[in-house]
Amino acid sequence: MKKVIVYFSVVLLASLVLFMGASSVEWSDVIGNIYEHIVNGTPLSSDGVIVYEIRLPRIILAIIVGGVLAGSGAVMQGIFKNPLVDPYLLGISSGAAFGSALSIGFLESFPVGILAFGGAIGASFLVIVIGRFAGGSSVSLVLSGVVLSAFLNALSGSIKFFVDPQKAQAIVIWLLGSLSLASWENVRIALLGFVVGFIPLFLLRWKINVLGLSDSECMSLGISPTKMRFICIACISFACALAVSVSGTIGWVGLVVPHLARVIFGSDMRGLIGGSVALGALILLGADTIARTLTSYDLPVGIITALLGAPFFIFLLNQFANKWNNR
């Protein structure tokens, strides 16, 4: 029932956001125009372009990216048994940032999204290789992610230092995360990542629960913890890399939302993954609505998630301090 309420809230908020915007729209004409455009290929009117080409892709992209980040965070915190882990710990954010900085700074002939995706996937692969070289435990994987992220952040910072101020500003805006350039092509890319990455995670959610036990207990139940972690990380890396390549690095959603979802839906992955996806979609859609309506400027949504996420995480630390301290 709780999950149904969250799903309904996502649909309700998306419907409300569709009506919000600087331009007033004649809905009686727009709905028919969009229907004719989809069915018969009729050209869109100016109002039809605003709704179908600008507002609708942005809403759907916010839902998919928010769901991917929050769902990935819930799985990672479970398999690493660490409440401070989020998708970007695998170097996904830093790899994508390095790829985008390369594209904007030196390789303008290559699209930012492609190099960001390549950087994110490459960084995730390196973390897994370094982690296995260091023993393959969950601790070695986390430490590998921290070290590689620091290294890639240094490289990105170096690129920002050496390029001209205009390019440096473009890199900073991308790093803050934004959905302002959402398009149907971006929606298809993010949706591909969600489908390919999360179908295996949903199918394996019973086994992901077992990873909360010790490695020896997992093996006594016939489950290889190393193999399961590798599958989960591969799925998360692919889904997050595609999401980041079209939205930039939107922080805090993957870290904070799973904790809130755990309070509402419990710790069982059979309900937590779906609940986190729905809640992440709702929260990022709400944050993006604030970002584009708070001022006359279209603020990067990463600023809003950081401003809301940091105080809320401090609140969670206060509420669950005893539980986390006893882990």
Side-chain angles (χ1 to χ4, degrees), residues 32-91:
N33 180 237
I34 292 175
Y35 175 79
E36 289 295 328
H37 174 73
I38 294 173
V39 175
N40 300 321
T42 305
L44 289 169
S45 63
S46 57
D47 286 349
V49 170
I50 291 172
V51 173
Y52 186 73
E53 298 289 353
I54 299 176
R55 292 184 188 175
L56 199 54
R58 183 165 183 164
I59 290 170
I60 297 175
L61 191 63
I63 290 172
I64 297 173
V65 172
V68 167
L69 294 178
S72 299
V75 174
M76 287 194 65
Q77 289 170 9
I79 65 177
F80 287 115
K81 291 175 277 191
N82 187 332
L84 296 178
V85 173
D86 73 349
Y88 294 151
L89 192 71
L90 288 178

Side-chain angles (χ1 to χ4, degrees), residues 5 19 25 100 135 147 189 209 227 252 274 292 295 306 309:
I5 293 175
F19 287 92
V25 172
S100 70
V147 171
I189 292 172
N209 268 334
K227 184 178 178 182
W252 291 94
R292 70 186 181 90
T295 68

Side-chain angles (χ1 to χ4, degrees), residues 176-189:
L176 288 173
S178 175
L179 300 171
S180 60
L181 299 178
S183 65
W184 285 112
E185 180 63 25
N186 290 345
V187 169
R188 283 190 283 271
I189 292 172

Side-chain angles (χ1 to χ4, degrees), residues 119-189:
I121 286 292
S124 301
F125 177 75
L126 280 177
V127 167
I128 293 173
V129 170
I130 296 171
R132 289 182 70 86
F133 181 75
S137 66
S138 58
V139 174
S140 62
L141 278 170
V142 171
L143 292 178
S144 302
V146 171
V147 171
L148 188 65
S149 293
F151 179 73
L152 291 172
N153 285 335
L155 291 179
S156 301
S158 301
I159 293 174
K160 283 190 290 184
F161 182 79
F162 286 110
V163 298
D164 60 63
Q166 189 175 2
K167 290 182 177 179
Q169 186 179 15
I171 294 172
V172 170
I173 290 175
W174 193 92
L175 294 179
L176 288 173
S178 175
L179 300 171
S180 60
L181 299 178
S183 65
W184 285 112
E185 180 63 25
N186 290 345
V187 169
R188 283 190 283 271
I189 292 172

Side-chain angles (χ1 to χ4, degrees), residues 14-33:
S15 303
L16 291 174
V17 171
L18 196 60
F19 287 92
M20 296 172 62
S23 304
S24 59
V25 172
E26 293 293 335
W27 286 98
S28 56
D29 299 332
V30 168
I31 293 175
N33 180 237

